[in-house]
Structure formats: structure tokens, C-alpha cells
Amino acid sequence: MLDLYSGIWRRCVWSLVALSLSVAIGERTSFAQTQEATSDSGEELSQPEAVELEDLLVSAERITPVSGAATALVTAEQVREYQARDVAEALKSRVPGVTGKRSGGINLDPIIRGLREDRLSVMTNGTKIWGGGPSRMDPPTSLLDVDELEAIEVIKGPYSVTRGPSSIGGTINLVTKKPELSPHWDAHGSLGAAYTSNYNGFTTKAAVSAGGPTLAFRLAGSYRDYQDYDSGDGERMQSGFQSQSVSGTLLWQPHAAHRLLLSLSRESDQDTRFDALPLHMEEDDAYLGSVSYTLSNPFPFVGSLQLSGYYNYVHHRMNNDHKPHRAGSGAGGGAQDGSSPGMQAGSGHPIPVLTRKRALRSIRVSTPGGADWLWMGHSSTTGLRTIFCNTFWTVTSSARTGPCNLRGFRNIDHATLFGADLGLSYALRENLSLHGSFAYVHGENEADDRALPEIPPLEGQLGLRYEHPRWDLWFNPMLRLVQSQHRVDSAFGEDATQGHVTVDIGAGWRLFGRHELMLRVENLFDKNYNEHITRENPFSGREVFEPGRVVTVGLWTTF
């Protein structure tokens, strides 16, 4: 019944949105058609002679959602305001029904309506991407610099027929920033830096774009260095990391009907620590490349012909540095040791995990109206993936045991998930708006008559946004309320978690039209809490708590 009501509610909301857009477009069209140029005396003025303009091809790499799909869009401006460290952080704060699973200080693993990992399809500009690590140290959403995204599109599933078998939970499309053509050569850029307390981390980034009548390019780079953070109670959590990113895009359009787009990027995470995992990520280098050639109206009744291909390469290395079994001793006076196939216990030798992904989308043909009616393509996947089982030996006064610390997975005949999520925004005054969201998922293992594991609890958010146009100032406090979760699967090793309430504050001030000073305070009251979907520390068994109070100050400038 709840599923039925949520479906009806979604249809009603989207119907209202569609109706509002239709009315707005209709009013603008009607106004444009009926407006006449007249003088103050009421006489009709002579119209200037029409000027013929050259054709201009405008293209965007967007996934068109299925009719009736629940979609959400996070813009580059919203990502910058939140000062998110990765894609999942940005989605968690902006999209109802989406949260992130934390293992360390970066690379949250996105979850949509209780589904994650291979139940989600992650794409960049419409092409599929994968991570390289078996422990989800580098989920696909971590392979691109979040600051180089023009938008993050979320289509909540299930649409396995149109989006592929891994999209039962939904599709996340990462739309990168592109260069733009200009009638005359024009160049502009941006510089920025930010400092984040608690992590004692800093971020620097730079980007430059230039374009002329037929050629345009964009180059960007960033560097981040963060240390381990402290929880609300002052407990140190392994979460430090270093990250480097560089990307470039070239656009060539020698004729209005021809368009070539080439994109290359490299994202490198180094010395990345994860408190919730038994290993440390020594390095993770992701190389992403894509090329597309579009020909407009090549034949009668054919609107466009597009040839495109992409190549993704991920090199992932792990070791057991910074872990208790590295030194042979654990917390509380107990000794712990760990081993995995191909690695000697306590040796610290890295475990290589190498993943290569290749795919070629060879032909795409569209009608003049924009509908695709022919797709031809080929894809292949090759690589080496090392899966391991960590065995932790615990030494007590007179006994020694060595259970395998690998959670089991198996197929079940019947599982059910249902729930509801929604987001609302209401203008209280011209410059003041109220916004909020609600999300709930109920997961049931019908085969064993118990709860599905790792299902996020009921969550709600409520915030205010104030904008002062004259001062170019905005202010946005946010309240997040999360209920306790007692529907757990004890056989999976899952424990119940308590609810919590946190407060975040964001603010920004644009100076002289070119500079922007931004402030963000997360967990204002230094609450000590942990998310239900975050695993415990595999050595001590304690909870991995979220960061305590975090203050980020950033200054960005454009030129």
C-alpha cells in the first residue's frame, strides 16, 4: 500500500512540475507572439531588416530519463557551495533517497534507496566507468574531480532494460565541464584555495578555458592534502589522503555540421587511509579518455550520426601500512596479525589490483526530431582482480583463534524493498526559502523472514536559504534528523544504531563580482555519532564515527 501511495505521490508531483513548466512556456510564447513594437503615441514602429545568422550546433552529454522516472540534478554551483570532497558527499546533501557509505575521509560509496555497488550504474558523459578496488576504496564516482563536474544527474531506478543490468537502483551520470566556442577568441579562468579544520587539510585548484569560432579547449588541475579527522568525542579516525587531478578537453568544429570532442583526465589518490577497512590504499590512478565525432544531417531523414569511443584504465595498489597487524600489536594489549593470499602477514607488501576497461560505441543514428532509432556497438572488459580474505588472529591469555573476517554473500530467492522519498522547496519571501527532504526504505529478506542488512534508516532534512542580491550574500543553515535503525540482520554481523540530529551551516559572499568567499560548518555542535551503513573497525570492533565539527573556508576568483 505504501508503495502504491508513493507511486501516486511521485506522479502527482511530476505532473504538477510538468504543468507549471507548460504554463510558464505557454505564457512566454504567447507574450512573444502578441507583443508589438509601438511608440509612446501608439503608432507601430518599423521593424528592422532580418539578419541571417550562421548555424550553431549546441550539444550536451545528458542521459534522457525514462518518462515518469524520478530524477534529480545537482549543479556545479551547488557542489561549490557545499565544498564537497567527492560526488557522494554532494549527492548526500542534495538528493533525497541518496546517501553515502563511509570507509575513510574520502570516496564515500553512494547508495540509492538502499541499493549500491553493482546495483548502481555510474557513467561519465554517458559512458560506463568502474572502480578498481575490491573493497570499494575507489567507487566509480571517485574517479573524477568533483569540482570539474558541470552537473551530477541521478535517475532513480529500476531501469535495467534502458540503462543496463547494473542500474536496478539507479543511474548516476557525471557531466564534465566543456569548453565553449566564441565568435572571437576569448579566454577566462579560475583559481581557488580552501582550508578545512579537523582534517587539517587544504585544497587548491585552477582552470583555464579558451575558445574561438572553430576551436576551444579547457585545462584544469587540483591538489588536496588531508590528515586524519577527530570524532565528536575527540577519537582519531584513520582518514588522511592526498589527491591530484588534471583534465583537458578539446572541441573542434570546423563546420556547423561537424563536431569533434576529445577528453582526457587523470585522478590520483595516494596514501589514503580507511578506518573501516583492513587495508590502506597506497595509490589509485584512474585514466579516463573519450572521443566523439558528430555529423549533423548526413543523409535524408537522418538527424545526426555520432561515432564515439572511450577507454578507462585504473591502477590500484593496497598495503597494510598504518594498521595494527602491521606492527603485530593491537589495541587493549591484545596482539593481532593479518594475512591474505599472496601476502605475508605483517610484511606490508602491496596487493596490486589492476583493472582495465575498454568499450567502443561505434555508431549512433538519430532522426531529425532527436529520437534514436539505431544503435550499433561493441564492448569488452579485461583485467585482473585480486579478491582476498583477511584472517585476524586474536591472542588472549590462554587461547588463540583465527576467524576469517570476510562477510558472506549469497543469493536469496525473494527480497523486497519499498519506501518513499521527496524533496520540497517553498518561498517564504522574495529572498527567503524553506527547503526539506524525506527518505525511507524498508528492506525485507523474504526467503529467511528477516531484515535485509545495511538499509539506511528514516532520514529528514530541513533548511532555510537567505539571499541578499545587493550584497551578493547567501546564508543556508540545515538541520538533519536520522532515526535509529533496529531492523538489522544479526547473521550479517550488523548491529543496531542510535538516531542523531546534526546542524550544518553554509554561507557565501561574492566580492566585486569576481571573488567569492565561502564558509561551511559541518556538525556545528560537535555531535559524536556514526551512520548505520558504516562498518565497524575490523581490528577493534568499535564504531567508525563521523567527523566532529568541521569548518571549511574557501576563496575562489575568476578572471
Side-chain angles (χ1 to χ4, degrees), residues 327-386:
S329 62
Q336 295 179 325
D337 185 20
S339 62
S340 61
M343 184 181 76
Q344 191 70 22
S347 65
H349 296 311
I351 302 176
V353 177
L354 180 62
T355 302
R356 292 185 178 92
K357 304 292 182 181
R358 293 196 298 268
L360 174 63
R361 181 175 295 159
S362 56
I363 299 177
R364 174 185 176 185
V365 182
S366 302
T367 64
D372 298 327
W373 58 272
L374 174 63
W375 282 83
M376 296 178 62
H378 170 74
S379 65
S380 64
T381 300
T382 62
L384 167 68
R385 185 180 292 268
T386 304

Side-chain angles (χ1 to χ4, degrees), residues 203-369:
T203 299
T204 58
K205 68 175 184 177
V208 61
S209 297
T214 62
L215 186 68
F217 70 88
R218 177 179 177 85
L219 295 174
S222 67
Y223 177 77
R224 290 181 292 178
D225 190 343
Y226 280 59
Q227 305 303 314
D228 296 342
Y229 69 75
D230 291 335
S231 68
D233 283 350
E235 187 175 0
R236 182 60 54 91
M237 300 289 161
Q238 290 188 343
S239 53
F241 65 90
Q242 293 180 356
S243 175
Q244 304 173 24
S245 175
V246 61
S247 62
T249 305
L250 178 68
L251 171 61
W252 183 44
Q253 190 171 314
H255 186 272
H258 299 263
R259 182 176 185 266
L260 177 69
L261 185 66
L262 174 65
S263 296
L264 298 171
S265 70
R266 176 181 181 267
E267 177 77 17
S268 178
D269 295 335
Q270 300 174 344
D271 194 26
T272 307
R273 307 176 188 181
F274 299 93
D275 203 295
L277 297 177
L279 292 175
H280 157 80
M281 188 165 71
E282 181 179 354
E283 63 179 352
D284 187 84
D285 295 328
Y287 299 85
L288 308 182
S290 65
V291 60
S292 65
Y293 175 76
T294 304
L295 180 61
S296 300
N297 302 313
F299 310 108
F301 307 109
V302 176
S304 66
L305 175 66
Q306 183 184 81
L307 306 177
S308 63
Y310 66 96
Y311 181 84
N312 301 337
Y313 174 94
V314 181
H315 181 74
H316 184 85
R317 292 174 64 88
M318 303 175 291
N319 59 38
N320 59 355
D321 288 349
H322 313 292
K323 297 298 180 181
H325 62 253
R326 167 73 173 180
S329 62
Q336 295 179 325
D337 185 20
S339 62
S340 61
M343 184 181 76
Q344 191 70 22
S347 65
H349 296 311
I351 302 176
V353 177
L354 180 62
T355 302
R356 292 185 178 92
K357 304 292 182 181
R358 293 196 298 268
L360 174 63
R361 181 175 295 159
S362 56
I363 299 177
R364 174 185 176 185
V365 182
S366 302
T367 64

Side-chain angles (χ1 to χ4, degrees), residues 446-476:
E446 304 288 354
D448 300 331
D449 194 24
R450 63 172 182 251
L452 286 177
E454 297 188 328
I455 297 296
L458 173 66
E459 177 181 333
Q461 296 189 41
L462 185 65
L464 286 171
R465 183 178 178 89
Y466 172 76
E467 297 182 357
H468 197 295
R470 181 184 299 178
W471 295 349
D472 278 340
L473 176 70
W474 62 270
F475 180 72
N476 185 189

Side-chain angles (χ1 to χ4, degrees), residues 433-503:
S433 62
L434 176 70
H435 54 93
S437 65
F438 163 88
Y440 174 73
V441 177
H442 181 97
E444 189 71 24
N445 179 350
E446 304 288 354
D448 300 331
D449 194 24
R450 63 172 182 251
L452 286 177
E454 297 188 328
I455 297 296
L458 173 66
E459 177 181 333
Q461 296 189 41
L462 185 65
L464 286 171
R465 183 178 178 89
Y466 172 76
E467 297 182 357
H468 197 295
R470 181 184 299 178
W471 295 349
D472 278 340
L473 176 70
W474 62 270
F475 180 72
N476 185 189
M478 174 70 72
L479 179 70
R480 179 171 179 253
L481 305 96
V482 179
Q483 192 180 46
S484 59
Q485 179 62 288
H486 296 283
R487 298 195 75 257
V488 298
D489 184 0
S490 57
F492 189 75
E494 186 179 32
D495 298 326
T497 52
Q498 300 299 316
H500 56 269
V501 178
T502 57
V503 176

